[in-house]
């Protein structure tokens, strides 16, 4: 009888051990599945990594990353002029960072921000100095967002930096990856054809951005799904996108909806003309543009506002042809300009 009792106790003990092992295994497998949602093994394809921070665990560090992601995707809801939190509206329009840096800053050829942390500090001709990443972010706020600078010690700035650090976690030491910036186009050796630009806009762009260029907002939101391309709620005339060549390169690799860098829809000439058409429209005016590019020889040829280090007209700098301007800078200053 005692032997049976001992055997029974041993059996119960074994069952407890086995149950404990099974429970540990179940928890381990569950955590593995959770971790696979949060962070996959990096395969070497920088654009195929997991850039969705919503699955990150709720730690203080990850909460800052998530806040940066939300600021990036839904900027006006947090710090726009009509934000929902009664905070200071640092952004002067209702654009989101995501409206230019598509897919949360991870789409090839739409100025992706993967590796951006490693690429700063960097020299920028507009300021003619080595600038920090925080200064670059504030450049966007003053121009693309038509607003004012974020305090560099603010939680919002720290959240942006945390998100960009997280996006850049797999980038090489120098931050250089394929398809940064925009696609390069063969610039037509002629002035922008505004009539053709209007036709391209009405054929390919109007369905999303509407005929008056005012864009469309997300349902029940102040954030744009398709941003305005001109008017009071668009980027101001000091933004990089007001340069016809820059805008054409962005459009070529990303527009209309569904375009990818390796499968463009518009021709170079169509992207060039529609960029000129969009930028011929009225938009907010940035003050003190004459202070940009202290060394005006570094000013891109399609910068639409003076002063210039040449005698070409403002209209030609706005609409081309640009090749004569490029040839002038090569001859006079031995500077090769591509945009």
């Amino acid at each position: 009888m005692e032997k049976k009792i001992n055997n029974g106790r041993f059996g119960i003990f074994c069952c407890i051990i086995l149950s404990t092992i099974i429970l540990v295994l179940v928890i381990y497998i569950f955590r593995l599945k959770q971790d696979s949602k949060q962070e996959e093994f990096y395969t070497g394809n920088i654009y195929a990594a997991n850039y969705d921070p919503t699955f990150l665990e709720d730690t203080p560090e990850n909460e800052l990353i998530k806040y940066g992601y939300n600021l990036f995707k839904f900027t006006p809801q947090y710090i726009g002029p009509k934000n929902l939190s009664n905070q200071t509206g640092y952004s002067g329009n209702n654009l989101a960072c995501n409206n230019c840096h598509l897919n949360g800053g991870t789409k090839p050829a739409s100025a992706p921000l993967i590796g951006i942390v490693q690429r700063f500090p960097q020299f920028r001709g507009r300021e003619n100095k080595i600038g920090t990443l925080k200064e670059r972010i504030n450049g966007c706020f003053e121009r693309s967002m038509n607003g004012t600078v974020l305090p560099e010690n603010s939680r919002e700035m720290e959240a942006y930096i945390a998100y960009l650090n997280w996006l850049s976690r797999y980038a090489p030491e120098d931050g250089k990856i394929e398809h940064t910036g925009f696609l390069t186009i063969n610039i037509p050796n002629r002035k922008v054809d505004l009539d053709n630009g209007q036709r391209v806009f009405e054929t390919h762009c109007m369905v999303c951005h509407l005929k008056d260029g005012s864009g469309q907002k997300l349902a029940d939101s102040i954030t744009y799904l398709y941003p305005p391309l001109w008017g009071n709620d668009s980027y101001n005339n000091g933004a990089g996108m007001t340069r016809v060549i820059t805008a054409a390169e962005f459009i070529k690799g990303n527009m209309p909806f569904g375009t990818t860098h390796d499968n463009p829809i518009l021709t170079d000439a169509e992207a060039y003309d529609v960029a000129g058409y969009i930028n011929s429209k009225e938009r907010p005016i940035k003050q003190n543009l004459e202070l940009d590019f202290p060394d005006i020889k570094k000013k891109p040829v399609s910068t639409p506002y003076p002063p210039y280090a040449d005698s070409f007209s403002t209209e030609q700098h706005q609409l081309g042809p640009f090749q004569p301007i490029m040839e002038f800078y090569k001859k006079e200053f031995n500077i090769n300009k591509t945009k």
Side-chain angles (χ1 to χ4, degrees):
M1 177 66 70
E2 184 177 346
K3 185 175 181 180
K4 287 183 179 180
I5 291 173
N6 288 335
N7 286 340
R9 287 174 177 172
F10 180 74
I12 292 171
F13 176 76
C14 288
C15 285
I16 292 172
I17 294 297
L18 183 60
S19 298
T20 301
I21 292 172
I22 291 172
L23 179 61
V24 169
L25 284 173
V26 167
I27 293 173
Y28 177 72
I29 292 170
F30 176 78
R31 290 299 300 271
L32 276 181
K33 288 182 177 180
Q34 289 297 104
D35 289 345
S36 70
K37 290 180 181 179
Q38 296 172 23
E39 198 66 65
E40 83 290 13
F41 291 107
Y42 179 50
T43 63
N45 182 348
I46 197 73
Y47 286 107
N50 179 8
Y51 296 113
D52 180 1
T54 58
F55 291 111
L56 293 175
E57 294 180 354
D58 293 332
T59 66
E61 179 185 35
N62 289 341
E63 286 303 309
L64 195 62
I65 293 170
K66 292 178 187 179
Y67 184 42
Y69 171 78
N70 285 330
L71 284 171
F72 194 93
K73 293 275 285 189
F74 310 106
T75 316
Q77 294 178 205
Y78 293 90
I79 48 178
K82 300 178 182 178
N83 70 78
L84 308 180
S85 305
N86 294 317
Q87 294 194 66
T88 301
Y90 294 104
S91 179
N93 57 32
N94 289 295
L95 297 183
C97 307
N98 191 65
N99 291 142
C100 288
H101 304 276
L102 304 176
N103 295 354
T106 67
K107 186 177 187 292
S110 91
L113 299 173
I114 300 166
I116 191 70
V117 172
Q118 291 91 330
R119 297 197 293 272
F120 273 83
Q122 65 177 222
F123 177 83
R124 290 187 53 79
R126 189 154 60 192
E127 295 81 26
N128 202 39
K129 72 180 187 71
I130 301 292
T132 67
L133 181 53
K134 289 183 178 182
E135 288 174 321
R136 182 67 187 92
I137 290 169
N138 273 329
C140 284
F141 268 90
E142 289 185 293
R143 298 169 187 271
S144 297
M145 317 300 271
N146 192 36
T148 58
V149 298
L150 279 172
E152 292 197 359
N153 61 350
S154 65
R155 184 167 184 265
E156 285 69 32
M157 180 63 83
E158 294 306 321
Y160 272 117
I161 296 298
Y163 176 60
L164 296 179
N165 266 307
W166 185 75
L167 284 187
S168 302
R169 66 198 185 279
Y170 293 130
E173 187 175 342
D174 61 6
K176 294 180 179 179
I177 61 173
E178 290 186 318
H179 312 304
T180 55
F182 305 137
L183 285 186
T184 299
I185 67 166
N186 291 316
I187 305 166
N189 192 2
R190 59 169 173 79
K191 184 178 180 179
V192 165
D193 185 335
L194 292 176
D195 291 334
N196 187 50
Q198 181 175 354
R199 285 191 292 271
V200 173
F201 182 84
E202 291 176 352
T203 301
H204 295 283
C205 314
M206 190 172 71
V207 64
C208 292
H209 298 282
L210 305 185
K211 187 172 184 177
D212 63 356
S214 60
Q216 299 184 61
K217 292 182 178 178
L218 292 162
D220 302 318
S221 177
I222 58 176
T223 300
Y224 283 101
L225 175 61
Y226 306 115
L229 301 180
W230 61 82
N232 292 332
D233 223 13
S234 188
Y235 52 89
N236 67 37
N237 68 328
M241 203 61 76
T242 58
R243 303 173 198 151
V244 164
I245 298 173
T246 299
E249 290 176 339
F250 171 81
I251 291 166
K252 172 76 175 184
N254 297 284
M255 297 293 141
F257 184 79
T259 295
T260 59
H261 70 284
D262 54 356
N263 188 29
I265 292 173
L266 300 182
T267 66
D268 291 349
E270 288 172 328
Y272 178 73
D273 289 337
V274 76
Y277 172 74
I278 289 168
N279 280 324
S280 70
K281 301 294 187 178
E282 292 187 5
R283 61 187 63 259
I285 303 297
K286 186 181 186 302
Q287 300 301 311
N288 303 317
L289 286 177
E290 70 280 0
L291 300 180
D292 284 1
F293 299 94
D295 182 354
I296 58 174
K297 295 192 300 296
K298 293 185 171 72
K299 187 176 272 192
V301 296
S302 58
T303 304
Y305 51 87
Y308 305 110
D310 58 69
S311 59
F312 294 93
S313 68
T314 299
E315 181 181 358
Q316 186 163 348
H317 281 282
Q318 292 172 336
L319 298 173
F322 298 105
Q323 285 78 2
I325 308 177
M326 294 174 176
E327 291 166 5
F328 170 84
Y329 280 90
K330 176 61 178 176
K331 181 179 178 180
E332 294 296 320
F333 306 113
N334 198 29
I335 298 175
N336 291 311
K337 289 183 178 284
T338 58
K339 60 180 173 181

